[in-house]
Amino acid sequence: MAQVTRDKTPPHDDELERAALGSLLFDAEAVSSVIQHHLRPDDFYSRANQRIFEAVLSLDNKGLRPDIQTVVQELKQLGKIDEAGGPSYVAGLTTVIPSSANIDYYAQSVKNYSLRRALLRVASRIGVSAYDESRDSREVLEEVQQNIFELSDERQTFSSRKIGEVLAETIDIIDKVYKTKKPITGISTGYDRLDQLTSGFQRDEFIVIGARPSVGKTAIALNMAANIAFHQGIAAAFFSLEMSDIALVQRLISSEAMVQAQNLRSGFLSPSDFKKIVDASGKMYEAPFYIVDMPNMKLLDLRAQARKHCSQQQVQIIFIDYLGLISHENGMMPRYEQISEISRSLKSLARELHVPVVVMCQLNRDAHGEVPTLANLRDSGSIEQDADLVLFLHREQARRGKKEKEDDNPAQSDIIPTDLIVAKQRNGPIGTVKLVLEAKYAKFLPMTKDRIAAGI
């Protein structure tokens, strides 16, 4: 089978290529349609056709109209007239078609054949890499996936619309926001004040949630993911590098059913607790919530799993708990360089998959007891640079006259006032969201007037 594939001529259609070029020479206005399809010279299989299309683009860049005479002259100036088949071949292109009416079809067909040839080249490289025993198999898999996604990106097209068309659509959006009074353009986190500041978590964004240990990074991430998947029905993936999937689901049951986590672990449950658990579990069972439980996860594995979940399960948001536990393939690299590369890679992953990527991150010891700043992001300043949105969880060290230690367990207190600080937002304001952590349920809730009045 492999031998048959090698002996075959790569996919192409000379007649369609000539028809596309003939349309361009017949009607200069067709150039814009071809460019809109991201057609490039190397999308043509024939070398002669490649050279002619290069000349057409060169003339268009100069603001000149491509026709038989100008293309022939341009090819002569470029010294490529012979490679293009000579003047007679160029002149014969306009006899292939009666008009340029089908230019979109011709251009799309040429692009489709080009994509097939590109897939064959990728397949060939896969074979070579698979036989190279000096390379790690996961590295090869990452390279393959990246190549496939790059081919997909090349297929994306752009459009141009008159402002009147865009204006009508924009007014509809404004009208909808005006009527609902909920200007959320991204994915709602479930916290109204945070959504007001951010308009929700936006696609393509790299979002960092930082805090010192035991302040509630995992809890806030699970609360947000649960609201998104359980209450909005939006597919979410939760990558857990620290806790097992069973432990995470226990936390989710506790927060959704409002049953104390300690009672779930110890078994001291009342009949009413069981009813709450059954009701919450029924809601959670069919939810599009995916837990990826892989301790010591390497960056390549994480990226591969993220692509798989977005492609197969249509995941629209990814949570990662947490950045400091992601392993880099090059263990000899200094840790700050590893973190920098991991941070850049996650930012790139968000843009590649067009989903928000929300990553938990520990803060350094300087942040203990102080209001955290961007300088407290641990291990690398590149996290601050790469992040589109940075949130910090912070609670006062002193509470009701009692000094809290760094390693205090939040579960020892019933309710803990906590600030969720929007420290950086590339496309919006910064500010502080007042929350309370109901520690026995590992659940963050908005600070209400009743709680403020109670002195909490």
Side-chain angles (χ1 to χ4, degrees), residues 256-452:
E256 288 298 305
M258 299 298 279
V259 172
Q260 291 191 37
Q262 181 61 30
N263 291 352
L264 282 174
R265 290 190 292 269
S266 65
F268 290 103
L269 298 167
S270 66
S272 62
D273 286 337
F274 266 108
K275 183 179 186 309
K276 291 178 182 178
I277 291 171
V278 170
D279 291 343
S281 298
K283 178 178 59 179
M284 296 165 58
Y285 188 79
E286 296 294 339
F289 193 110
Y290 302 90
I291 299 174
V292 183
D293 176 9
M294 188 181 294
N296 302 316
M297 181 182 287
K298 292 188 178 296
L299 178 61
L300 291 181
D301 297 327
L302 189 153
R303 290 176 62 91
Q305 285 294 321
R307 292 189 183 110
K308 175 183 176 181
H309 280 75
C310 287
S311 174
Q312 297 182 5
Q313 277 79 39
Q314 287 74 53
V315 160
Q316 296 183 48
I317 186 168
I318 293 171
F319 291 84
I320 302 171
D321 185 27
Y322 62 94
L323 187 145
L325 294 180
I326 301 173
S327 302
H328 194 278
E329 277 62 33
N330 185 357
M332 301 301 293
M333 183 186 295
R335 185 55 181 168
Y336 75 90
E337 290 185 11
Q338 293 183 32
I339 293 295
S340 295
E341 190 163 324
I342 291 169
S343 173
R344 285 192 296 270
S345 181
L346 294 178
K347 167 66 176 176
S348 173
L349 186 68
R351 292 178 59 83
E352 176 186 313
L353 301 179
H354 302 299
V355 300
V357 173
V358 187
V359 183
M360 308 308 111
C361 180
Q362 279 198 13
L363 303 181
N364 58 37
R365 290 184 178 273
D366 294 339
H368 176 55
E370 304 293 335
V371 177
T373 68
L374 294 173
N376 295 131
L377 288 168
R378 192 169 180 174
D379 291 321
S380 175
S382 67
I383 301 173
E384 172 189 348
Q385 298 172 11
D386 297 331
D388 298 288
L389 177 65
V390 177
L391 308 175
F392 291 134
L393 279 175
H394 173 67
R395 64 172 184 258
E396 293 297 329
Q397 190 175 26
R399 176 173 174 265
R400 294 182 178 178
K402 178 180 177 181
K403 187 89 168 178
E404 291 186 4
K405 296 181 180 180
E406 177 178 330
D407 59 351
D408 273 352
N409 186 345
Q412 294 174 352
S413 303
D414 289 337
I415 296 177
I416 305 173
T418 307
D419 288 341
L420 181 60
I421 303 168
V422 181
K424 174 188 175 182
Q425 185 171 192
R426 201 180 298 277
N427 300 307
I430 60 175
T432 299
V433 179
K434 296 290 185 180
L435 303 175
V436 292
L437 171 63
E438 294 202 14
K440 59 186 177 182
Y441 307 129
K443 191 176 186 71
F444 280 98
L445 297 169
M447 175 69 83
T448 63
K449 293 181 179 179
D450 291 341
R451 291 193 173 99
I452 294 174

Side-chain angles (χ1 to χ4, degrees), residues 43-61:
D43 286 325
F44 291 85
Y45 179 73
S46 163
R47 180 180 293 272
N49 295 338
Q50 290 177 5
R51 298 295 174 259
I52 293 170
F53 189 61
E54 287 174 356
V56 169
L57 292 181
S58 178
L59 288 168
D60 185 66
N61 287 335

Side-chain angles (χ1 to χ4, degrees), residues 172-191:
D172 286 341
I173 294 173
I174 294 173
D175 182 61
K176 182 179 179 180
V177 170
Y178 171 75
K179 290 177 178 177
T180 62
K181 297 296 188 294
K182 293 183 178 180
I184 309 303
T185 56
I187 297 176
S188 172
T189 63
Y191 298 98

